[in-house]
Amino acid sequence: MIIRHIHRSRPSATPRLSLLTNPSHPRTTSSISPRPFSTSHQHRSDTHTSSRIPATTPFVPDVPTFLTLIGRKLSQHTSKIPDWAALFSLSSEQMRSLGIEPARDRRYLLRWRDKFRRGEWGIGGDATHVDSQGRVELRAVEVQRGSDVEVRVRERQFGRERVRKFMEEREGLFDGVSQGGLANVNKDGGMTRVVLNVPWTGCVDAAKAEKEAALEDKAAATSDGKEGQAEEAPADTEASSPFTLKPLDPAELQKSAPILGFKHRPTRGMMGPHIKLIKGSRGEAAYLAISEGLWEHKRGTKVDGGERRKAEVRFKRGQAEAKAARASRA
């Protein structure tokens, strides 16, 4: 039996080599032209590192404040992190060498660090006006619908493009209203209440001072033997508070900034997490203060040893209770 080997000739590489050897070929200059030398890669790592270090905010000006806000007792490691740049550039191994333990706390700190870098703050993180004690004053202000103040608030809440489309639809709605349809509705849509972060006016300190003065007067009246009058006096409520909230002037209103996470309801006043209403303001003024764990993500609690050990723990507890019951009957 004769086996014939079929030789398959490969195509010649001459056309491809001609691209390299023939400088007059039309594809030579376009496909194999040398790239210009660039030094941008030398500074890429430095630029990348600096861009990953976000700027501080009025509500979070330094490392101790950041660690206090995120909670889980991480503020005890404040002395181990030298500055703001180190907070956002240290790796997990470097944090471990500095003594930030356990690993669960390091993961939590790294997660919050990435969230802050992306601008995902907790409540009050977008505040513009913060006093020296870390307090943010909030006011519920009545403004015209469609005014500059309302537009700024809605842009912060929903985004500029969405608000622009909504304003165009509102203009078309009121332009197309017939005379007999919505005769009592004017084109601006009436009034609305928005919550603003206003420059610190000191109304919180004034309300506390007047409250303390009222309590001192009540104590003095009681010590003078006027217990009956003291009992008939109304309780310390917003209606009985001597403090009167002063309205904002146009300059303060212009400096005010929108803030997320708070709203105002006519029947309930200002609403939002961790705020403290100012007595005598009837729910139209409040403040938010920096405190331990204000942004903390709470850990879950293990019930009967957790999911993996729940059956075992409950079985052993049942055995112990049955043994104790038998011993009591004996």
Side-chain angles (χ1 to χ4, degrees):
M1 183 178 181
I2 301 175
I3 300 176
R4 295 181 179 180
H5 297 277
I6 302 175
H7 177 70
R8 295 182 181 179
S9 61
R10 296 181 180 180
S12 175
T14 305
R16 185 170 296 180
L17 292 176
S18 65
L19 297 177
L20 301 176
T21 58
N22 186 9
S24 63
H25 196 280
R27 293 176 56 188
T28 304
T29 56
S30 60
S31 59
I32 318 181
S33 58
R35 296 182 180 179
F37 179 72
S38 175
T39 58
S40 60
H41 67 281
Q42 298 178 357
H43 308 284
R44 187 177 302 169
S45 59
D46 298 337
T47 306
H48 184 63
T49 303
S50 61
S51 64
R52 291 174 61 85
I53 301 176
T56 58
T57 64
F59 196 68
V60 190
D62 48 27
V63 175
T65 305
F66 180 80
L67 297 180
T68 300
L69 286 171
I70 64 177
R72 296 198 183 180
K73 299 181 180 180
L74 286 175
S75 56
Q76 62 182 342
H77 302 299
T78 301
S79 59
K80 302 174 184 177
I81 302 177
D83 52 18
W84 185 261
L87 173 64
F88 285 89
S89 59
L90 290 174
S91 64
S92 180
E93 290 296 330
Q94 291 172 335
M95 291 183 182
R96 180 182 180 183
S97 63
L98 292 175
I100 301 178
E101 294 285 355
R104 176 177 57 213
D105 291 346
R106 292 198 300 273
R107 289 194 299 268
Y108 178 72
L109 177 56
L110 292 174
R111 184 168 76 248
W112 255 115
R113 192 175 73 175
D114 292 338
K115 287 174 65 67
F116 191 90
R117 187 181 287 119
R118 296 192 300 266
E120 300 176 5
W121 304 311
I123 191 70
D126 57 339
T128 306
H129 304 288
V130 185
D131 77 331
S132 58
Q133 300 181 20
R135 297 176 297 181
V136 178
E137 185 174 344
L138 308 171
R139 289 285 191 97
V141 183
E142 190 175 29
V143 297
Q144 288 279 348
R145 290 190 182 273
S147 63
D148 294 339
V149 177
E150 193 216 1
V151 170
R152 282 191 289 129
V153 173
R154 303 312 178 205
E155 285 180 352
R156 178 67 67 87
Q157 292 176 340
F158 307 112
R160 179 170 299 178
E161 187 64 24
R162 185 176 176 183
V163 170
R164 186 185 63 81
K165 292 181 180 179
F166 173 75
M167 296 298 292
E168 291 177 356
E169 293 175 359
R170 182 195 290 181
E171 290 293 330
L173 172 65
F174 286 106
D175 287 341
V177 170
S178 61
Q179 187 66 23
L182 298 176
N184 295 327
V185 180
N186 53 4
K187 189 173 181 179
D188 58 11
M191 306 293 289
T192 183
R193 283 186 177 271
V194 295
V195 178
L196 298 175
N197 171 213
V198 301
W200 190 258
T201 61
C203 64
V204 177
D205 301 327
K208 288 183 178 180
E210 295 199 14
K211 180 180 178 180
E212 292 175 359
L215 292 176
E216 291 178 359
D217 294 342
K218 184 176 179 180
T222 304
S223 62
D224 292 341
K226 299 179 181 180
E227 291 83 355
Q229 296 181 7
E231 291 177 358
E232 293 177 0
D236 185 18
T237 60
E238 293 186 3
S240 62
S241 175
F243 174 73
T244 303
L245 185 66
K246 296 180 180 179
L248 295 175
D249 55 27
E252 292 175 336
L253 185 61
Q254 190 65 26
K255 294 179 181 179
S256 302
I259 187 168
L260 297 177
F262 306 99
K263 56 186 178 181
H264 182 273
R265 292 291 179 265
T267 57
R268 301 183 62 182
M270 195 180 303
M271 303 168 59
H274 305 289
I275 62 171
K276 298 179 181 179
L277 296 176
I278 299 175
K279 296 291 184 179
S281 66
R282 300 185 181 277
E284 296 184 0
Y287 71 97
L288 176 73
I290 295 175
S291 59
E292 178 71 29
L294 187 67
W295 294 356
E296 182 177 354
H297 294 168
K298 302 294 183 181
R299 287 199 301 263
T301 57
K302 289 186 176 181
V303 179
D304 293 338
E307 292 294 331
R308 292 182 295 178
R309 299 181 57 243
K310 184 182 295 184
E312 178 185 358
V313 170
R314 291 182 177 180
F315 176 75
K316 291 182 178 180
R317 185 170 58 197
Q319 282 185 326
E321 291 175 355
K323 184 176 180 180
R326 289 194 301 268
S328 62
R329 287 195 300 268

